Each structure stands twice: as C-alpha cells, then as structure tokens.
Amino acid sequence: MVVMGDIQKRVAVMFGGRSSEHEVSLRSALFILKNIPEKYEIIPVGISKNGMYFSLEGFYKAKDFSETTVEDLATIIAGQVP
C-alpha cells in the first residue's frame, strides 16, 4: 500500500511459542500490540505450544487491539478468530 509517496510500514508481532514462558509471551505481546505507533500496520502471529504458526488475515492498527485480552491471543494460537 502506498500512501502519498511513502511506503506503509508493517511489523509482525509474534507471541506464544514452545517455551515455558508461553503465557508471559502472550501478556507481553498484548502490551506491545496496544502500544505500537499508528504509523505501523500490525500482523499478529501466534505460535502454539507445539510450534504451529497462526495469524489473522489482514493488517491492523494498535487501536484494533484496545479491547483485546490474553484469552483472545490464546484463541488466535488455537487457529481461531477471537
């Protein structure tokens, strides 16, 4: 997407994973998702405890995550849409 001559910036936020810190990663990602500057489009990528990657379709802004909970991120990791 080109906006007035500038290339739109995108960032992937990855969370979850196979580590024992899985739940900590979800809480950290939630804080990051809610606080990324508006100039970035966000691609949320969840990683299940068995190493499967899941993402929502499309691109998002921090304001889209204002009501998101840790449980919503866990739903993404389960391969579902919250």
Side-chain angles (χ1 to χ4, degrees):
M1 164 188 224
V2 176
V3 181
M4 296 172 43
D6 293 328
I7 295 175
Q8 183 67 38
K9 296 178 183 180
R10 293 186 180 134
V11 62
V13 176
M14 302 176 82
F15 52 91
R18 299 175 70 175
S19 133
S20 61
E21 298 294 319
H22 183 91
E23 286 74 22
V24 173
S25 177
L26 298 182
R27 289 192 296 275
S28 298
L30 187 57
F31 177 80
I32 291 166
L33 289 167
K34 291 181 177 189
N35 290 286
I36 289 179
E38 262 315 288
K39 67 181 179 179
Y40 295 101
E41 290 183 336
I42 303 167
I43 305 167
V45 180
I47 307 168
S48 70
K49 289 183 178 181
N50 65 4
M52 297 289 297
Y53 287 71
F54 298 95
S55 181
L56 300 176
E57 288 190 33
F59 306 105
Y60 300 86
K61 296 287 189 173
K63 64 184 175 191
D64 297 322
F65 296 97
S66 64
E67 301 294 321
T68 302
T69 66
V70 171
E71 291 78 18
D72 293 329
L73 296 185
T75 301
I76 294 170
I77 290 172
Q80 302 170 356
V81 177

